[in-house]
Amino acid sequence: MEIEEDIVIVGGGIAGLNTALGLHRLGLRSLVLESSESLRMTGFALTLWTNAWRALDAVGIGNSLREHYPQIPWVQVGSSVSGATSEIESPEKNGRGNEGRCVRRKELLETLERELPHGTLRYSSKVVSIEDTGYHKLLHLADGSTLKTKVLIGCDGVNSLVAKWLGLPKPVYCGRSAIRGFAEYPDGHGFHPSIHVYFESGVRYGYVPCGANCFYWFCSYNSSLQYDEGMQENPAKMKQFVLSKISQLPKQAVEVVEMTELDSISCSPLKLRLPWNLLLGNISKGNVCVAGDALHPMTPDIGQGGCSALEDGVVLARCLAEALLKKPKNEIQNEEEYARIQKGLEKFAKERRWRSFSLISAAYVVGFIQQRDGKVIRFLREKFLSRFTVSTVWKMADFHCGELNISGSK
């Protein structure tokens, strides 16, 4: 059976849901296909910076999330070897500091889903192939059904089928992996909101309060340090590995990991799309484009993976609405509408190409500085570069993707 939808979004993660919500706010219906049986919760939590909150405000859910998560006013950076630490306060701009809050991924996704019309998100819907039929794309699903769509948006993650269809090269492994965990304190943790980051000898460890009762933590490490091939499949071994690397840190830093249940620990290799692939490759082609991790997978060193996905959703919804809300003449409907869609997606690609290039590059450089080993880089990191890396995080976050206002819709 073939079903027809004007706009199909493959992937129900942050980028997919925020794009769908942006389109909904502008009066356009879309269908989101999610391959899993429920919302994907990989990662437990994430820090949302200024640019992300601007995007969330654009789709109308920023304030509802702010209520539950305190602002992070400073970052404490330290060395796990020398013990040297420094506190770096968020810089002021126009009388306001940068906005950063650690948010549970589950609550972010549920808030996005709750604002969407019933039936927008379809679970257990895995796309296995894409067929080009000219003005439309046919999506063949694992259950045997077929969808026909005027617009195809790939928000299907690092291993994106849509990105592959566009001809974008696969993301590459950066030589590091990350263990992430989420610790719950039923009676409250009582600590002030701040990000604590320590790095040395190929390891970067950090933790941040996520509300009054939880801590989110991460530990990225060079692949050469992994002593057990089976560790990435065994949460107990992951936990022991992290504890062995942070044993010299303050008690609070160690306690956060010790408090974490094994089912709240995960590990994954870190991948990125080579920046020049974005400059030379197709972000969009005809009536197809990619967004989120399908577009710009990056290392987590500046905390912009989820933030930039939220940006994508606002920009893409705005560009598509400008294309679709101006009705073509009936006698040339297919041709003119397709041309407008193509132009809208090309506009999205133009807006996001250099932004994505900059984010991927900045994340890689910051990660290189923070996890490079050696006496010289250690000295420079402690004396000069720690402030540089934190300021880079804030600089990349000081970006506005714009509002959902469009022209030419009447």
Side-chain angles (χ1 to χ4, degrees):
M1 181 177 68
E2 183 178 289
I3 303 171
E4 186 166 348
E5 293 283 348
D6 285 350
I7 305 171
V8 173
I9 300 169
V10 182
I14 294 173
L17 294 182
N18 201 49
T19 301
L21 181 54
L23 290 168
H24 171 60
R25 297 294 194 222
L26 291 169
L28 291 171
R29 168 184 162 77
S30 62
L31 176 66
V32 181
L33 302 178
E34 171 53 46
S35 61
S36 64
E37 297 178 355
S38 60
L39 287 173
R40 288 176 285 159
M41 304 302 174
T42 305
F44 307 115
L46 71 164
T47 302
L48 297 180
W49 296 105
T50 310
N51 55 320
W53 291 105
R54 289 168 176 166
L56 290 170
D57 287 337
V59 297
I61 63 171
N63 286 335
S64 65
L65 286 167
R66 284 186 180 94
E67 295 175 1
H68 307 289
Y69 301 101
Q71 181 153 346
I72 301 164
W74 65 80
V75 176
Q76 180 175 296
V77 180
S79 167
S80 58
V81 174
S82 68
T85 61
S86 60
E87 285 189 354
I88 305 171
E89 190 173 3
S90 172
E92 292 286 328
K93 185 172 183 180
N94 299 324
R96 297 179 62 185
N98 282 327
E99 185 173 8
R101 304 169 194 268
C102 185
V103 174
R104 296 192 71 159
R105 185 177 293 266
K106 180 176 185 289
E107 185 169 355
L108 172 60
L109 293 176
E110 287 177 342
T111 302
L112 288 167
E113 182 189 25
R114 194 162 50 243
E115 294 292 315
L116 291 169
H118 179 72
T120 300
L121 188 55
R122 176 175 155 183
Y123 293 109
S124 301
S125 300
K126 180 179 177 61
V127 178
V128 294
S129 65
I130 303 167
E131 183 181 347
D132 192 349
T133 63
Y135 296 127
H136 296 84
K137 296 295 178 288
L138 290 182
L139 307 181
H140 300 281
L141 276 58
D143 62 5
S145 61
T146 302
L147 279 170
K148 182 179 180 182
T149 183
K150 296 178 182 178
V151 184
L152 173 60
I153 303 170
C155 298
D156 45 342
V158 175
N159 301 310
S160 169
L161 178 69
V162 181
K164 181 180 178 180
W165 187 88
L166 286 170
L168 284 171
K170 291 182 179 180
V172 300
Y173 176 51
C174 74
R176 295 188 288 139
S177 295
I179 299 173
R180 299 176 175 92
F182 197 74
E184 300 194 44
Y185 291 68
D187 299 322
H189 50 68
F191 294 107
H192 294 296
S194 62
I195 298 178
H196 300 260
V197 182
Y198 297 87
F199 40 76
E200 202 64 54
S201 303
V203 174
R204 175 175 176 262
Y205 169 75
Y207 59 102
V208 57
C210 185
N213 298 86
C214 303
F215 262 100
Y216 170 64
W217 59 266
F218 56 87
C219 177
S220 57
Y221 60 92
N222 295 339
S223 57
S224 59
L225 299 177
Q226 185 170 318
Y227 55 80
D228 189 329
E229 289 297 327
M231 186 181 76
Q232 294 192 6
E233 306 299 327
N234 188 324
K237 290 182 178 180
M238 296 178 207
K239 185 174 183 177
Q240 188 56 45
F241 173 84
V242 176
L243 289 172
S244 71
K245 298 299 179 184
I246 65 172
S247 59
Q248 302 302 313
L249 296 185
K251 180 181 178 181
Q252 178 189 340
V254 178
E255 181 187 83
V256 170
V257 179
E258 291 176 337
M259 287 281 291
T260 306
E261 299 292 337
L262 294 183
D263 61 358
S264 295
I265 301 176
S266 67
C267 183
S268 58
L270 299 179
K271 296 182 178 182
L272 71 153
R273 192 177 300 289
L274 296 175
W276 47 88
N277 287 339
L278 289 179
L279 300 183
L280 302 174
N282 291 321
I283 294 175
S284 71
K285 184 164 63 176
N287 55 355
V288 180
C289 75
V290 285
D293 279 346
L295 168 59
H296 45 59
M298 66 188 77
T299 60
D301 304 286
I302 59 172
Q304 279 294 327
C307 299
S308 55
L310 290 168
E311 290 180 17
D312 290 342
V314 173
V315 177
L316 182 49
R318 185 172 61 236
C319 291
L320 262 181
E322 289 175 355
L324 290 172
L325 292 179
K326 186 171 183 180
K327 300 297 184 182
K329 297 176 183 178
N330 290 332
E331 62 270 18
I332 54 171
Q333 180 171 350
N334 283 341
E335 182 179 349
E336 184 179 340
E337 188 173 49
Y338 182 87
R340 289 188 179 279
I341 291 168
Q342 181 176 21
K343 186 176 179 181
L345 295 185
E346 287 174 351
K347 182 178 180 182
F348 165 76
K350 183 178 180 180
E351 285 195 41
R352 300 306 294 166
R353 193 181 303 276
W354 279 104
R355 171 66 173 164
S356 300
F357 176 92
S358 300
L359 289 169
I360 294 172
S361 303
Y364 183 83
V365 170
V366 168
F368 180 85
I369 291 172
Q370 291 184 336
Q371 295 195 223
R372 189 73 172 177
D373 201 14
K375 292 183 179 180
V376 175
I377 191 68
R378 184 185 306 155
F379 172 80
L380 293 173
R381 188 164 53 217
E382 290 182 10
K383 299 299 181 182
F384 309 106
L385 294 179
S386 62
R387 188 168 293 276
F388 165 77
T389 57
V390 174
S391 65
T392 299
V393 172
W394 284 325
K395 180 180 178 181
M396 299 310 293
D398 187 19
F399 179 87
H400 203 313
C401 61
E403 306 298 339
L404 283 176
N405 301 329
I406 63 170
S407 59
S409 60
K410 294 182 180 181

